[in-house]
Amino acid sequence: ALLSAFHGKAVTVDAVVRLPKEYAVEPTRKFPVLFKVWGYGGNYHELSGDTTPSRPLDSTAVIEVILDGNCALGHSTYANSANNGPWSDALITEFIPLLEKKFRTNGARLLTGHSSGGWSVLWLQTQYPKVFDGCWASSPDAVDCRNSENINIYEAENMFYDQAGSQRLASEVAGRFPWVTMKSNYQMENVVYRGEQMHSFDAVFSKKGSDGMPEGICNYSTGLIDTAVSSHWKNYD
């Protein structure tokens, strides 16, 4: 309801629930919940029709809840944002109470995620320490904007070029062979636009612009960083 009210249309929080094999044979037992958040592009439909039970966490049977972070502008990261809306509030005040009403949970809530999902679970754990009891994150998006894509966005002037005028790398193969530059990343996203990864960061961390779209951390043609926008990113740093 919160997200639907924000966007003025029906919005859902999508997930897959996997029950442990013990769930059916121990009808009075309650279980901890392990929330998993996929990275950018992960889609809960990938598990449609999959009847595999949840895997135990070490030796503890858990209910797995695999959260789909997709939203209109990319990955919600389950953070409240001026552009994507109140995703944290929707998860914590609407989704989780409904989940715990429908399934036999014991009140323990754990988090794990990868990439943008890794950032999501770190955000949820640090912002809501009384809601969640533990967090494991792998390869999260930048958790410190002094090193966002290897760029200190508070001090650097340009996302595409360093002070020497060389193009900044976004990715390398085997840590040695240049593969993608930051400039080509943005150029690609301005051709294929759906809210890809760089724009997804803007949607989460930036204010809403006068045109109704997220303000960009940089000029998408020149790479020049907008300091007014980077200062707003500090709210998520």
Side-chain angles (χ1 to χ4, degrees):
L2 290 170
L3 288 166
S4 298
F6 179 89
H7 290 285
K9 62 180 180 180
V11 178
T12 58
V13 178
D14 300 320
V16 171
V17 177
R18 277 179 161 169
L19 301 175
K21 61 182 185 298
E22 294 89 347
Y23 195 90
V25 297
E26 300 180 42
T28 62
R29 182 176 174 184
K30 296 183 178 181
F31 299 85
V33 178
L34 177 63
F35 293 93
K36 293 184 174 183
V37 186
W38 271 335
Y40 186 92
N43 189 310
Y44 79 114
H45 287 296
E46 294 175 21
L47 294 177
S48 294
D50 188 335
T51 59
T52 305
S54 65
R55 292 184 297 175
L57 185 63
D58 191 25
S59 59
T60 302
V62 298
I63 295 172
E64 278 185 345
V65 177
I66 302 163
L67 293 168
D68 187 332
N70 282 308
C71 65
L73 293 173
H75 195 297
S76 73
T77 69
Y78 287 91
N80 293 339
S81 105
N83 297 287
N84 294 330
W87 276 86
S88 285
D89 293 344
L91 177 69
I92 290 166
T93 68
E94 296 178 326
F95 182 93
I96 290 178
L98 180 63
L99 175 84
E100 295 183 345
K101 182 178 180 180
K102 186 170 183 178
F103 297 97
R104 299 195 310 273
T105 65
N106 69 2
R109 308 181 191 104
L110 306 167
L111 295 159
T112 188
H114 181 74
S115 191
S116 290
W119 192 96
S120 303
V121 299
L122 287 171
W123 176 258
L124 291 169
Q125 182 66 67
T126 55
Q127 300 303 306
Y128 306 94
K130 294 184 179 180
V131 176
F132 301 102
D133 301 297
C135 169
W136 295 264
S138 60
S139 299
D141 297 337
V143 297
D144 183 341
C145 290
R146 292 171 298 178
N147 186 1
S148 180
E149 305 296 314
N150 293 320
I151 304 166
N152 184 334
I153 66 167
Y154 305 133
E155 296 182 0
E157 296 180 357
N158 198 289
M159 291 287 280
F160 298 169
Y161 301 98
D162 62 20
Q163 286 185 315
S166 300
Q167 286 207 39
R168 298 185 188 273
L169 293 178
S171 183
E172 296 171 300
V173 176
R176 291 186 297 160
F177 304 104
W179 179 46
V180 179
T181 64
M182 289 299 295
K183 183 177 181 178
S184 61
N185 249 359
Y186 278 95
Q187 287 177 327
M188 177 177 63
E189 291 196 17
N190 282 324
V191 174
V192 185
Y193 183 77
R194 187 199 68 89
E196 300 296 327
Q197 185 71 80
M198 299 299 126
H199 289 81
S200 182
F201 293 153
D202 286 338
V204 176
F205 306 140
S206 301
K207 293 184 292 185
K208 186 184 292 288
S210 58
D211 61 354
M213 295 299 290
E215 293 184 343
I217 185 64
C218 69
N219 181 298
Y220 296 155
S221 297
T222 66
L224 188 67
I225 291 175
D226 188 328
T227 56
V229 176
S230 63
S231 65
H232 192 268
W233 282 37
K234 288 184 180 180
N235 296 314
Y236 299 91
D237 197 331

